[in-house]
Every structure is written in C-alpha cells, then in structure tokens.
C-alpha cells in the first residue's frame, strides 16, 4: 500500500486526510493518507527513514519555509516563492538508483525528496476568473509561508503587491498604515493569516472595512468557517468575496499530479 501524508504542527484542522482518503476509497486506489504532527522539522529525516512506503507529503504551518533545507531538490518555482508545500518521496533499497536521481545521499539514506509548491497553481486558477482590468494592486495580509505563494501568484497575474504585517518590518506596512486612499488603489485584499479561523469566528484582520466598495475583491485562504468575519464585512460593503476552499481543492489535485508524475 502506498502512503501519503501531511506534516505540520498542529494538524487538528487539516482538510487533507479526509479529502485524500475519500478519493482513494472512491477511485479504488490502494493508498492511505495520514497525519504526521512533527514537533520539529528536524524530525523529518527520521520519518522518511521509518516510512518506507511513504510516497508523498503535504507541508503546512509552520514548516513550508524551513523544510526546504531538508530536501534533495526544490523546483525553481518553489525556490522563487520561498516555500514548499508538496514533497515527492522516492524510496529505493538500491543506493545506486538513488544516486541516479542526483540525490546527495550519504550513509544508509535510501530516499530522494523533491519539493514543489502547489499553492501557486491553486491560487492562480482560483483568483484569475475574478480579476477585472482595474484590479492592478493587492494587499497581502500576513507574512508566513502561504503569503509568499500568494505574492508570487499575484505578481504572475500582473498585480503589484504590498505585504501587511502586525509589526514593523522592512519592505512591509502595518495595519495602522493602511489609509482610505490606499484602499481605493489596492482593490484586491488577500487574508493569509489564521485570523478568523474556527473557533475564533469573532476575529478579523484590522483593515478599514468601511472604505470597501463593489470593485474590491476579498479573498480569504481560510475555508473553515465558510464565511469568515473578514468576508462577511466585505460582503456587507458590496465587495466580491471568496474563501480558500476552491484553492485548497485545486492545490490538492496538483499535489496528486506531482506525486504521480
């Protein structure tokens, strides 16, 4: 039986096990998808050594960036993004075969790991149908691994981007620096923070919602709940809103393609 899974911490909220295990059942695929809650990303090599039938992993908070240094290969796109959320694992007992994959294998290591980013594929294909000619600038709320993929994706779609952080950081603005004038220029706003995620339904990013218009797009990577307070406040002002479920489904399918290519 082939094995797949997800690494991160915590993983109680993860959508992926249910999605993939249902897919395997419905499509009669002899595989299982499991959670691997790692206390430290340095535990990844031990997991790979132990799980000889493990063929692929998804990566979530807080390891999308840190995992890159543990991989044999990182795709140019994932390297440009600065984050990996898909790992393809090739196991073999033939150390020569691993070397043919250009792995930097040493000692008893008999696996080769490749890192990719399927968030880019998921977000671009979810966001593109919403964009109009006047959507030229975007605010990215949050600075974690997911926000890097969103920034890369928005730039691929031709938009200028600005990161918004809770703290003062280089090349970013804080929430208090978002002015009404800026809101009229930055018509796409993407929430890449966990603010508003279940069970914190009463929380939302601190932006001036009263300046939103029908020309704005509010996109939330959160999918539980279906409508966060961020999206609800946007909808009340007439903005177009979308949660992260479609992106999640698209990136999951892209993960499956990458594991099987």
């Amino acid at each position: 039986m082939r094995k797949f899974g997800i690494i991160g911490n915590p993983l109680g909220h993860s959508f992926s096990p249910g999605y993939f295990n249902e897919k395997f059942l419905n499509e009669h695929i002899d595989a299982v998808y499991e959670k691997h809650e790692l206390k430290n990303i340095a535990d990844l090599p031990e997991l790979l050594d132990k799980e000889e039938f493990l063929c692929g992993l998804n990566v979530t908070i807080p390891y999308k960036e840190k995992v890159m240094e543990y991989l044999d290969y990182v795709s140019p796109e994932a390297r440009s993004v600065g984050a990996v959320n898909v790992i393809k694992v090739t196991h073999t007992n033939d150390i020569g075969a691993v070397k043919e994959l250009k792995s930097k294998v040493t000692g008893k290591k008999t696996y080769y790991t490749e890192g990719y980013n399927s968030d880019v594929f998921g977000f671009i294909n979810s966001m593109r149908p919403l964009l109009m000619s006047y959507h030229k600038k975007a605010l990215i709320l949050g600075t974690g691994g997911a926000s890097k993929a969103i920034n890369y994706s928005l730039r691929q779609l031709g938009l200028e981007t600005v990161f918004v952080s809770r703290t003062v950081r280089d090349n970013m603005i804080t929430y208090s620096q978002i002015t009404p004038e800026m809101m009229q220029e930055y018509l796409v706003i993407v929430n890449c923070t966990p603010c508003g995620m279940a069970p914190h339904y009463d929380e939302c990013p601190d932006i001036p919602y009263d300046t939103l218009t029908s020309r704005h797009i509010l996109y939330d990577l959160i999918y539980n709940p279906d409508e966060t307070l961020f999206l609800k406040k946007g909808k009340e002002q007439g903005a177009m809103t979308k949660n992260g479920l479609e992106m999640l489904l698209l990136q999951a399918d892209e993960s499956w393609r990458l594991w099987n290519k």
Side-chain angles (χ1 to χ4, degrees), residues 5-6 11 13-24 33-35 58-60 223 248 251-252 255 259:
I6 184 168
L11 291 176
H13 67 284
S14 180
F15 157 96
S16 299
Y19 175 81
F20 279 107
N21 284 318
E22 183 176 355
K23 173 184 177 70
F24 297 155
Y33 191 102
E34 300 170 322
K35 295 180 183 179
N58 287 122
V59 185
T60 189
Y223 54 89
L248 191 70
Q251 71 85 14
S255 296
W259 290 331

Side-chain angles (χ1 to χ4, degrees), residues 32-123:
V32 65
Y33 191 102
E34 300 170 322
K35 295 180 183 179
H36 300 283
E37 195 165 285
L38 302 184
K39 292 182 179 178
N40 192 301
I41 190 58
D43 296 331
L44 178 60
E46 181 181 352
L47 172 66
L48 295 172
D49 280 327
K50 181 177 66 175
E51 295 284 354
E52 62 178 313
F53 297 108
L54 187 60
C55 301
L57 290 167
N58 287 122
V59 185
T60 189
I61 296 171
Y63 299 136
K64 289 187 178 185
E65 297 157 292
K66 296 176 183 177
V67 75
M68 294 173 69
E69 64 185 276
Y70 292 87
L71 305 177
D72 297 308
Y73 166 82
V74 176
S75 74
E77 182 174 72
R79 197 167 292 284
S80 294
V81 170
V84 161
N85 75 315
V86 180
I87 302 172
K88 180 178 180 179
V89 184
T90 302
H91 278 272
T92 176
N93 291 321
D94 179 357
I95 202 71
V98 178
K99 285 183 176 179
E100 286 179 12
L101 291 171
K102 298 181 181 179
S103 171
K104 297 176 182 178
V105 294
T106 58
K108 296 181 180 180
K109 179 184 169 187
T110 57
Y111 59 82
Y112 179 77
T113 51
E114 303 168 53
Y116 301 93
N117 194 300
S118 67
D119 284 338
V120 171
F121 176 88
F123 183 78

Side-chain angles (χ1 to χ4, degrees), residues 119-245:
D119 284 338
V120 171
F121 176 88
F123 183 78
I124 284 179
N125 285 282
S126 182
M127 174 59 84
R128 182 183 281 120
L130 307 181
L131 295 174
M132 305 295 287
S133 60
Y134 50 78
H135 291 125
K136 299 183 183 298
K137 297 183 180 181
L139 294 177
I140 301 172
L141 311 183
T143 59
S147 71
K148 290 187 173 184
I150 300 309
N151 180 54
Y152 180 90
S153 302
L154 287 167
R155 288 182 172 274
Q156 291 293 107
L157 289 167
L159 278 73
E160 295 180 31
T161 58
V162 169
F163 282 98
V164 184
S165 172
R166 289 178 298 175
T167 57
V168 177
R169 303 173 69 173
D170 291 341
N171 303 314
M172 299 181 188
I173 65 170
T174 61
Y175 286 90
S176 63
Q177 292 175 302
I178 301 175
T179 64
E181 292 75 21
M182 183 177 289
M183 290 290 286
Q184 298 315 304
E185 282 189 68
Y186 289 80
L187 299 178
V188 176
I189 305 174
V190 185
N191 178 36
C192 302
T193 77
C195 187
M197 182 183 293
H200 304 290
Y201 302 110
D202 60 343
E203 298 179 2
C204 62
D206 186 18
I207 65 170
Y209 292 94
D210 60 349
T211 62
L212 294 171
T213 68
S214 60
R215 290 161 68 91
H216 281 87
I217 299 172
L218 268 60
Y219 194 111
D220 201 328
L221 300 195
I222 294 171
Y223 54 89
N224 182 16
D226 291 340
E227 185 176 69
T228 58
L229 187 56
F230 169 72
L231 295 183
K232 183 177 180 181
K233 284 176 170 283
K235 186 178 288 185
E236 288 172 353
Q237 297 296 121
M240 182 181 298
T241 62
K242 192 166 189 175
N243 69 20
L245 183 59

